[in-house]
Amino acid sequence: MTPVLETHHLTKHFGRIVAVDNLELEVHPGQVFGILGPNGSGKTTTLAMLLGVVKCTAGTYSWFGEGDDNELRKRLGAILEHPIFYPFLNAIDNLKVSAHIKDAHKYDEEALLKLVGLYERRQDAYKTYSLGMKQRLAIAKAMVGDPEVLIFDEPTNGLDPQGIADIRRLIMDITSMGKTIILASHLLDEVQKVCTDFCVLQRGKKIYQGSVADALNHKQRIEVYAENPDTLLSVLQEHRGLKSLEKKNGVFTIQVDGLTTMELNRYLFDKGIAASHLAQVRTNLEEQFLEILKENDR
């Protein structure tokens, strides 16, 4: 399957500052691809280059395996930094302006406003909208013209928990429509909940790329407790696949790559130990993100 996006040695310098350094990316149809990184890591600059807003210093990128011209970018919809609307126009008229700029003759404004939850406020001036409503209108604007790929730069930035949840559900709804989404964010919990794949940028360089599922399962940990902790410790240390072992409040937490709780229970039972507590510890993307950054600094 042809990737919707490929970059090769994509680089951007601002004077002596290297904002993006030899970036290699590949995004496939149907993915929700997250670009993660600390502030100043090059996320927004990367998106700006891909949208033709900023000229790259070196390297290339290709949309849909065909290149990077303006005609191809008509198949994209984007929110880059702060979207601009006319404050005294209502949602319908603001979308009409966007459609005119995009030269999009066929679009269903009512369906878009219902999708983003603004249909009941469609006649109200933009200036009366909350921050969350403004962000949802920006997503509707990005979808004018029925683009194949949507690009969102920090779509939940500044929103309260309810607003973040609304945007999360909206992204999931859009994904179910078969769209490919590329989003930059520093909110790891949100990326974990909506993204299928992600990469990590640090000081302009890509230091990791993979699926969210693989990242979360990379270091599975299991909690285990038995009545005789000394014997349990000895048996756990004998396991050839043991990567790490910690003890807290009498409970051992171990890491054995690829070992399930059922397999561990069978192993302990064969050694004459009946575990009274056995549970897999859920890994979150924040732990993996910090570990990735830590490993890159070594």
Side-chain angles (χ1 to χ4, degrees):
M1 186 179 294
T2 303
V4 297
L5 170 66
E6 290 179 282
T7 73
H8 299 289
H9 306 294
L10 195 63
T11 300
K12 180 60 183 178
H13 296 175
F14 293 104
R16 296 181 179 179
I17 299 173
V18 182
V20 178
D21 189 359
N22 281 295
L23 181 61
E24 301 278 337
L25 285 181
E26 192 170 293
V27 180
H28 291 271
Q31 287 184 336
V32 182
F33 190 93
I35 301 178
L36 293 177
N39 290 334
S41 61
K43 302 187 299 295
T44 297
T45 302
T46 296
L47 297 185
M49 284 191 288
L50 297 177
L51 291 168
V53 177
V54 171
K55 186 176 181 181
C56 58
T57 303
T60 61
Y61 63 92
S62 177
W63 287 108
F64 313 105
E66 299 179 33
D68 62 354
D69 59 48
N70 288 329
E71 284 301 311
L72 290 170
R73 280 192 281 269
K74 289 181 179 180
R75 298 162 66 180
L76 315 175
I79 303 174
L80 190 62
E81 297 188 313
H82 303 291
I84 298 174
F85 291 97
Y86 290 96
F88 295 100
L89 295 184
N90 60 33
I92 293 175
D93 290 336
N94 267 301
L95 289 185
K96 286 180 178 178
V97 172
S98 298
H100 178 72
I101 293 172
K102 290 184 175 183
D103 196 26
H105 303 291
K106 294 181 179 180
Y107 74 101
D108 189 337
E109 62 191 30
E110 289 192 359
L112 282 179
L113 292 173
K114 286 178 181 178
L115 174 67
V116 301
L118 291 176
Y119 184 73
E120 300 301 323
R121 296 289 303 273
R122 64 191 183 282
Q123 300 291 353
D124 296 335
Y126 175 79
K127 67 176 183 177
T128 67
Y129 287 0
S130 67
L131 182 59
M133 293 169 65
K134 291 176 178 178
Q135 195 68 354
R136 282 184 275 139
L137 183 61
I139 292 176
K141 174 183 177 181
M143 294 186 69
V144 167
D146 194 25
E148 299 168 51
V149 179
L150 291 160
I151 299 172
F152 299 145
D153 184 19
E154 302 282 2
T156 59
N157 196 28
L159 300 183
D160 60 20
Q162 182 60 55
I164 291 173
D166 290 342
I167 297 299
R168 181 199 312 148
R169 285 193 295 268
L170 181 53
I171 289 174
M172 291 177 175
D173 289 342
I174 295 170
T175 303
S176 69
M177 299 165 62
K179 306 291 185 184
T180 302
I181 296 176
I182 301 171
L183 65 89
S185 180
H186 64 275
L187 298 179
L188 305 178
D189 185 55
E190 292 310 305
V191 170
Q192 179 174 330
K193 289 175 179 175
V194 303
C195 289
T196 59
D197 300 82
F198 74 106
C199 72
V200 179
L201 302 185
Q202 186 178 40
R203 293 186 289 274
K205 291 185 177 182
K206 185 184 78 173
I207 59 174
Y208 182 88
Q209 180 172 343
S211 75
V212 171
D214 286 347
L216 296 180
N217 293 327
H218 177 60
K219 293 184 177 180
Q220 295 187 32
R221 293 176 297 159
I222 299 174
E223 284 184 352
V224 58
Y225 174 80
E227 292 300 325
N228 191 330
D230 292 336
T231 304
L232 175 61
L233 174 62
S234 177
V235 169
L236 290 174
Q237 289 175 331
E238 290 175 2
H239 197 290
R240 289 180 296 178
L242 184 69
K243 299 295 183 182
S244 67
L245 185 150
E246 298 176 355
K247 183 180 180 182
K248 185 176 182 181
N249 298 326
V251 178
F252 292 98
T253 301
I254 67 168
Q255 179 198 332
V256 184
D257 290 348
L259 186 72
T260 66
T261 54
M262 184 179 296
E263 291 168 340
L264 177 60
N265 190 43
R266 187 182 303 117
Y267 168 77
L268 295 176
F269 185 80
D270 290 343
K271 297 288 185 178
I273 296 176
S276 55
H277 173 76
L278 196 61
Q280 185 170 326
V281 180
R282 290 180 61 86
T283 304
N284 61 54
L285 196 58
E286 180 176 7
E287 293 175 359
Q288 289 301 101
F289 176 75
L290 294 176
E291 182 66 24
I292 290 166
L293 294 181
K294 182 179 178 181
E295 290 177 355
N296 191 65
D297 282 335
R298 289 173 183 169

